[in-house]
């Protein structure tokens, strides 16, 4: 030690070298222990057993990691209840739906998978896959239709058994199932709606095509202008890392009010990993005994499972079919001719036809639609790769909209 407590240059170098050596030794030891630990016990030599018994700390760490991996793997697994078990649970759920005073439904990607719509933001969601540079192969979204679950929810609302629906899906299928606008909060936006935020109140434009083809994270202009004030329109999608500030179609006001009044929350087809981050939806400020009762329908684990009054491991369409049967309600079938999107949609103005290239939602051939919304020309051809094909989305990323 040099005078004054500080080390000389040489001493510092030597100390650093010794530390490096020590770290390397530790790494080697860990590698050796890990190799022995992975062997079946019967195949370990006496020397190897000796090494293990002298490396308690490393073995404990390896065990801890193995358990964590196992837990994560189990959470990813899709579990299905046996048919009788699912039926019994659906009967219990039907009793809850009948007696609930204020029932709110939270929906996720799992209710749309039957419509061949991939999750927007989940681990296999479109944005996640695109970020990893992987291509998207999916059915053309304009062909997607509300599922049995969407139709059942609209029917439950019509019968006053469900008061509000909060969805993290952007696919617009709740709206297209006939659920009134006021009864939906689309927390992450709706891919068929663009808005003018320069107009007060914001002016909404429902379209029959996906408005997001030129938009991306932090770039929301769609390339079309407001018919009233001429300002640029923006999409309504809320990406990861963005805060949704639009009043509609997010409708946070109604979502929060519904949650505060709810005595029962039914979660359908959501991993709840994103929804759990919105404390307002779970009345976390209330004491646990005064929070709404939770019912969860999902094939995989959710972070709210332990708090649920009942967890149903089943596909949403299967559970809803059982539930509606138990309630004695007939599930309305979806009729494209009556799809509300055709009534709500704002037609493009002359000169705007070339502003999108995605295949629009089209009424069946020969359907009798009001003149205002009937397509005036043949829809443009779909882009290769279908909805959100990779090349298309990459092009969209490069294009600046503002
Ligand atoms: Zn405007």
């Amino acid at each position: 030690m040099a005078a004054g407590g500080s080390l000389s240059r040489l001493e510092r170098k030597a100390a650093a070298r010794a530390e490096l050596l020590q770290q390397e030794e530790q790494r080697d030891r860990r590698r050796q222990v890990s190799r022995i630990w992975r062997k079946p016990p019967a195949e370990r030599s006496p020397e190897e057993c000796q090494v293990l018994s002298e490396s308690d700390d490393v073995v404990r760490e390896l065990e801890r990691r193995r358990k964590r991996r196992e837990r994560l793997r189990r959470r990813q697994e899709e579990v299905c209840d046996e048919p009788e078990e699912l039926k019994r649970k659906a009967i219990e759920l039907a009793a809850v739906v009948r007696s609930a005073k204020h029932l709110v439904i939270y929906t996720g990607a799992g209710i749309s998978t039957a419509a061949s719509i991939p999750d927007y933001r989940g681990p296999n969601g479109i944005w996640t896959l695109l970020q990893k540079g992987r291509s998207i192969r999916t059915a053309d979204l304009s062909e997607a239709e509300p599922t049995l679950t969407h139709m059942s929810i609209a029917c439950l609302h019509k019968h006053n058994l469900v008061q509000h629906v909060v969805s993290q899906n952007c696919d617009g299928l709740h709206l297209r199932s006939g659920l009134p606008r006021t009864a939906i909060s689309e927390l992450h936006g709706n891919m068929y709606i663009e808005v003018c935020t320069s107009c007060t109140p914001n002016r909404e434009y429902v379209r029959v095509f996906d408005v997001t083809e030129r938009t991306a994270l932090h770039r929301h202009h769609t390339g079309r202008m407001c018919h009233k004030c001429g300002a640029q329109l923006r999409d309504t999608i809320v990406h990861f890392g963005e805060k949704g500030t639009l009043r509609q179609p997010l409708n946070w006001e109604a979502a929060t009010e519904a949650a505060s009044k709810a005595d029962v929350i039914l979660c359908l087809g959501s991993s709840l990993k994103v929804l759990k981050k919105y404390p307002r939806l779970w009345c976390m400020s209330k004491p646990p005994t005064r929070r709404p009762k939770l019912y969860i329908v999902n094939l995989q684990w959710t972070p709210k499972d332990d708090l649920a009054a009942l967890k149903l491991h089943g596909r949403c369409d299967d559970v809803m079919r059982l539930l509606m049967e138990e309630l004695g309600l007939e599930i309305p079938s979806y009729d494209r001719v009556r799809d509300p999107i055709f009534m709500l949609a704002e037609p493009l103005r002359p000169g705007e036809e070339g502003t999108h290239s995605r295949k629009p939602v089209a009424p069946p051939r020969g359907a009798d639609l009001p003149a205002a919304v009937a397509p005036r020309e043949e829809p443009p051809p779909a882009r290769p790769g279908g909805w959100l094909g990779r090349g298309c989305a990459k092009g969209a990323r490069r294009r600046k909209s503002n």
Side-chain angles (χ1 to χ4, degrees):
M1 185 79 63
S6 62
L7 297 169
S8 75
R9 193 166 156 265
L10 273 175
E11 280 170 331
R12 276 202 308 272
K13 266 184 128 176
R17 206 180 304 122
E19 202 184 317
L20 263 176
L21 260 173
Q22 203 192 353
Q23 280 173 1
E24 214 165 288
E25 269 168 29
Q26 270 173 1
R27 257 200 307 275
D28 283 347
R29 179 166 152 261
R30 226 176 266 136
R31 234 177 263 137
Q32 186 197 16
V33 174
S34 164
R35 188 177 48 77
I36 301 170
W37 178 76
R38 281 199 303 270
K39 275 188 179 182
E43 289 174 24
R44 291 172 192 158
S45 69
E47 294 77 29
E48 288 175 334
C49 292
Q50 179 72 21
V51 172
L52 281 191
S53 67
E54 283 165 3
S55 315
D56 262 0
D57 50 339
V58 183
V59 170
R60 267 201 304 276
E61 179 60 27
L62 288 167
E63 284 286 351
R64 246 198 315 274
R65 283 190 198 172
R66 187 180 59 78
K67 279 185 188 150
R68 201 175 59 208
R69 271 198 305 274
E70 180 65 18
R71 200 169 55 238
L72 288 175
R73 193 185 58 75
R74 270 203 310 273
R75 288 180 174 185
Q76 295 292 322
E77 266 175 14
E78 295 198 336
V79 181
C80 274
D81 287 332
E82 291 294 322
E84 308 82 56
E85 172 85 345
L86 200 61
K87 170 102 183 158
R88 187 189 60 71
K89 289 181 176 178
I91 293 171
E92 188 181 334
L93 181 61
V96 172
V97 170
R98 259 190 233 108
S99 62
K101 289 185 184 71
H102 202 95
L103 174 60
V104 185
I105 293 186
Y106 294 174
T107 67
I111 74 158
S112 293
T113 45
S116 315
I117 294 178
D119 182 1
Y120 229 60
R121 306 161 29 125
N124 286 311
I126 290 157
W127 303 120
T128 319
L129 290 177
L130 284 173
Q131 269 166 8
K132 287 180 186 165
R134 279 158 63 185
S135 62
I136 311 295
R137 249 181 238 106
T138 163
D140 188 336
L141 199 74
S142 68
E143 297 298 326
E145 295 183 341
T147 62
L148 186 146
T149 299
H150 290 100
M151 298 310 290
S152 304
I153 293 171
C155 175
L156 290 171
H157 178 266
K158 201 171 142 197
H159 284 86
N160 216 19
L161 290 166
V162 166
Q163 273 62 50
H164 198 72
V165 178
V166 177
S167 184
Q168 57 185 129
N169 299 342
C170 315
D171 55 36
L173 290 179
H174 280 303
L175 188 66
R176 295 181 53 201
S177 71
L179 199 61
R181 294 291 309 270
T182 49
I184 325 170
S185 297
E186 292 170 300
L187 299 185
H188 298 153
N190 182 320
M191 51 180 281
Y192 292 107
I193 301 178
E194 49 188 346
V195 295
C196 171
T197 49
S198 297
C199 280
T200 316
N202 289 354
R203 199 177 145 88
E204 266 190 308
Y205 294 80
V206 178
R207 306 291 194 186
V208 289
F209 52 87
D210 174 9
V211 302
T212 69
E213 71 180 286
R214 296 182 181 194
T215 66
L217 176 73
H218 301 313
R219 286 209 293 272
H220 292 280
H221 289 156
T222 61
R224 278 169 296 278
M225 309 294 170
C226 175
H227 295 174
K228 191 163 176 251
C229 75
Q232 296 199 65
L233 298 182
R234 55 155 294 168
D235 73 4
T236 59
I237 304 297
V238 182
H239 293 258
F240 273 127
E242 290 181 335
K243 197 168 156 51
T245 51
L246 290 172
R247 219 180 147 105
Q248 289 291 357
L250 280 52
N251 206 2
W252 263 106
E253 207 178 326
T256 312
E257 198 195 327
S260 72
K261 285 184 187 167
D263 57 341
V264 177
I265 292 174
L266 172 59
C267 303
L268 298 173
S270 169
S271 69
L272 301 180
K273 283 172 193 158
V274 177
L275 287 184
K276 79 159 185 195
K277 292 179 187 156
Y278 303 127
R280 282 183 280 173
L281 294 181
W282 308 102
C283 307
M284 296 311 273
S285 55
K286 290 186 187 174
T289 50
R290 293 193 47 220
R291 286 179 205 154
K293 278 197 165 173
L294 265 188
Y295 290 79
I296 301 175
V297 180
N298 203 47
L299 291 168
Q300 288 171 318
W301 171 90
T302 88
K304 293 279 183 189
D305 283 1
D306 290 343
L307 300 170
L310 185 68
K311 168 83 186 275
L312 296 90
H313 295 97
R315 282 175 214 293
C316 294
D317 280 3
D318 295 341
V319 172
M320 290 311 268
R321 196 179 286 114
L322 291 168
L323 174 71
M324 296 296 277
E325 191 186 304
E326 191 57 31
L327 291 170
L329 292 172
E330 195 184 332
I331 303 165
S333 51
Y334 167 76
D335 178 1
R336 196 171 269 242
V337 179
R338 290 179 211 285
D339 191 321
I341 200 165
F342 298 123
M343 286 305 296
L344 295 166
E346 182 104 18
L348 290 175
R349 292 208 165 165
E352 285 183 328
E353 289 87 354
T355 57
H356 78 99
S357 64
R358 303 249 167 93
K359 200 172 154 195
V361 180
R365 246 170 223 289
D368 200 12
L369 282 180
V373 292
R376 276 173 284 185
E377 56 175 69
E378 275 296 297
R383 287 245 183 154
W387 181 62
L388 257 181
R390 190 176 164 197
C392 163
K394 274 204 165 170
R397 251 161 231 271
R398 274 195 299 272
R399 234 180 330 236
K400 287 225 166 156
S401 59
N402 48 358

